[in-house]
Amino acid sequence: MAKLLEAGGISNNSDIQSFVKSLIEKGECFARSGRLDLSFRSFSHAFRLGEVPKECISSLVEACLEFQRTKLSREKREERSSVGDLCESEVFSCMLCNCVFMKPVTLSCGHTFCEVCLSEEKSFNGFVECCKCGNAVADNMAFSLNVLVMNAVQKWLPNEFQKQEKKLRGMNYFIMNDLKSAIDCFSGVLSKSSNDFHCLSWRSDAFLRLRQLELALRDIDQACRLHPRSAKSFYRKAVILAKFAEKEGILSTRHEESVIALLRCYSLVPNSHRYRQEFTESLHRLLRPKFTNISRTMSVLKQNHSGGSEFPHTPILSRLDLPHDKTSANCGKAKGPVSNKRIQKVTDSKTFSTSSQNDKRGMEKAATSISNAGKSEIEKDVIHLTEVEDFECKLCYNLLFQPITTVCGHTFCRECLERSLDHKDECPCCRMKLSQYLAGSLKMEVTDVLQQVLMKHFPADYHERSKMFEEKINALSR
């Protein structure tokens, strides 16, 4: 490098600083025009000659984000073109995990998710935003279980409800750092439902704490294929790959793979300050002379897609802290259907790229196959909803019409709730204060999942309620 500088007439410190500055400017210009390969090369040369502050690579960060978001848009279009008819049980599925609701919580926008999914979203992303409508959830919002939906799951999907109890038991073991028992619980569920998103993610966290990186990566890889739009899954994967890179040394491609996993994570939640900061720091570290291998980096960057081991993740239940290196005395090897097959280390970028191209189409089919397999596991437990009393309003004792779930988790007809609040600003069931509805700080949005259930399983009754409501409105308007 010194000879190159002398050949270019650059000998003193001020000349070097000027040259570094020009390289940074070129890198920024290439980044803004979307020429990532040339931008990487310019920044790499600048890093070799001097210190480059993190804020100087902001244009490269933005270019990488735009590159990945373009990929996400293309994937989304392909997903829409391949979407089939929904199975009956999917109405009871959480969009954040694709599993049957586990402790369902209905947000003020009317959409319902698992309580644990919302808690993880807040822990990983720093905030909660409805993935269906984009509405932000207030930081001080208390989550209350949707009593009616939880009872419906317990009654109509008993096998799923029992599985949830095992999953929650495993989570409690994990929190207590009894990793062996946690893995046993998760493996027991996975032996019957091999595509359970929660169990794959949580067992991966347990394996990571035990420093069984190959098993941790295998589980989180499958979770990413099941839910390619889960930012927290790719963040988990990023952490695992970073641990792999630390173990394998500076020549490992895991460095690039970890950064790319963080990039996908950031592109899925672009307004997350935390993800942007961590991706910027990781990219800044990757550009240092100790790690830089432009050809390898660009090869990995260009071939990455929604699944496979190019993307990274992290552990979740430990409040986002990295897993402890030390394990408790009772943490042994996991029992159950856990394969010890080693994940092949990719050392040749050409082989890596060729393999990716061959697998690209297969990956889409595999993701669809995995998703359909998960649906069939749920369908075995589905019973047609025929008992109207399970979905009655507790105020009028008729089938719910325009169901509203309050912040305390109870559900009523919109009209019935409005009348009740005119009389007293509290829940008719639990007496919790509901003055926020009267003040206008909360709107009465129809509970989407219940609306779908009512219209699908009780069409005649719901149509009659709708007809009566319209007649009443017409009479009042005269």
Side-chain angles (χ1 to χ4, degrees), residues 344-361:
Q344 184 177 359
K345 176 181 176 182
V346 181
T347 54
D348 186 272
S349 61
K350 183 176 180 180
T351 303
F352 189 84
S353 178
T354 303
S355 174
S356 170
Q357 292 172 4
N358 292 337
D359 291 344
K360 189 171 183 180
R361 294 179 181 177

Side-chain angles (χ1 to χ4, degrees), residues 17-127:
Q17 290 179 354
S18 298
F19 189 50
V20 169
K21 186 177 179 181
S22 67
L23 287 172
I24 292 174
E25 290 174 351
K26 284 184 179 179
E28 291 176 336
C29 182
F30 286 135
R32 284 192 291 269
S33 62
R35 304 174 70 180
L36 288 179
D37 51 348
L38 296 178
S39 180
F40 267 102
R41 292 184 186 281
S42 295
F43 277 112
S44 175
H45 292 159
F47 270 80
R48 290 179 182 277
L49 293 175
E51 194 67 31
V52 179
K54 290 178 187 175
E55 54 269 20
C56 290
I57 66 168
S58 60
S59 56
L60 181 58
V61 170
E62 292 296 332
C64 289
L65 175 63
E66 183 61 28
F67 173 83
Q68 186 63 36
R69 285 183 67 80
T70 301
K71 281 180 168 287
L72 289 175
S73 298
R74 185 166 60 248
E75 289 174 14
K76 199 169 185 179
R77 288 194 297 271
E78 292 171 355
E79 287 172 9
R80 286 173 179 170
S81 63
S82 62
V83 170
D85 295 332
L86 298 179
C87 66
E88 289 184 8
S89 61
E90 281 196 289
V91 72
F92 285 112
S93 296
C94 171
M95 193 172 179
L96 291 172
C97 63
N98 293 337
C99 297
V100 171
F101 290 124
M102 182 166 59
K103 292 188 174 183
V105 171
T106 299
L107 301 178
S108 58
C109 58
H111 298 120
T112 305
F113 305 94
C114 301
E115 180 187 39
V116 67
C117 290
L118 294 175
S119 298
E120 287 185 6
E121 288 291 302
K122 188 170 185 178
S123 295
F124 278 86
N125 302 345
F127 57 89

Side-chain angles (χ1 to χ4, degrees), residues 171-184:
M171 183 200 295
N172 288 332
Y173 282 132
F174 183 92
I175 292 172
M176 294 186 295
N177 207 38
D178 185 354
L179 303 183
K180 177 182 178 298
S181 297
I183 290 173
D184 286 346

Side-chain angles (χ1 to χ4, degrees), residues 65 69 72 121 125 127 129 229-232 263-273 275-276:
L65 175 63
R69 285 183 67 80
L72 289 175
E121 288 291 302
N125 302 345
F127 57 89
E129 189 177 82
R229 295 195 172 277
S230 172
K232 57 180 179 280
L263 172 58
R264 184 175 180 92
C265 176
Y266 173 37
S267 65
L268 287 165
V269 191
N271 53 342
S272 171
H273 174 73
Y275 291 154
R276 179 184 176 87

